[in-house]
Amino acid sequence: METRLDDWIEQPAVRSVHCRAAAVEPAALWRAACEVRIADTRTLGRLVSWRIPGVPDGQTFDELFRGYPFTLLGEGEHWSISGLCGRIWTLARDYPRLAGPEDFAGWAEPGTVKVLFAHWTQPGRNGRAELVSEARVEPVDSAAALRLKALWAVIGPFERLVGAEPLALAARRAEEDA
């Protein structure tokens, strides 16, 4: 990746990393990952639709991370980084519209967080490719840190069950297409 995640969020309060390997080249795994649709995932798809009303089931996750409420922060041949800001613990869809990477980098509204989503493929062991997904959350202030801690206490234990769902699907499809 040409950009470092630490350039965006160096010391997150919450960090989640998922990785899935497939017996294909990184480019093939990336193509498969970019084609996974929200409707293809059961649990994660329902969560996305609940938290971001109006997202079409047929939309890919790649498309999702390129439009509101997300902001594309950077991308390359086999990677992308997106971010969003706001009060992620509310039921309201009140995420601000960010004009671009500069707005994300400079975000400092009290009582909010910055959330980074990075996805990439890389060579793995034994000729396999790895698809990696990392999320980082950084509170802007102590009030946001407390709210984030409470939210993570509730959803954190389930994150492992949900976060890897599209990666497993992409890996399986890439191997089936090889």
Side-chain angles (χ1 to χ4, degrees), residues 47-56 68-69 91-95:
L47 286 172
V48 167
S49 295
W50 176 63
R51 289 300 295 140
I52 310 172
V55 173
Y68 178 78
L91 295 178
R93 183 181 179 182
D94 61 351
Y95 305 112

Side-chain angles (χ1 to χ4, degrees), residues 17-20 44 133 159-170:
V17 180
H18 296 278
C19 183
R20 183 69 67 163
L44 183 58
S133 176
E159 188 273 335
R160 287 276 174 231
L161 302 172
V162 177
E165 189 178 15
L167 280 70
L169 185 56

Side-chain angles (χ1 to χ4, degrees), residues 4-5 8 13-14 19 26-27 36 48 59 65 69-70 72 77 85 105 118-119 175:
R4 294 173 358 102
L5 300 183
W8 297 103
V14 172
C19 183
V36 174
V48 167
Q59 185 176 33
F65 286 117
F70 300 94
L72 186 64
E77 189 174 6
C85 299
H119 306 92
E175 288 181 333

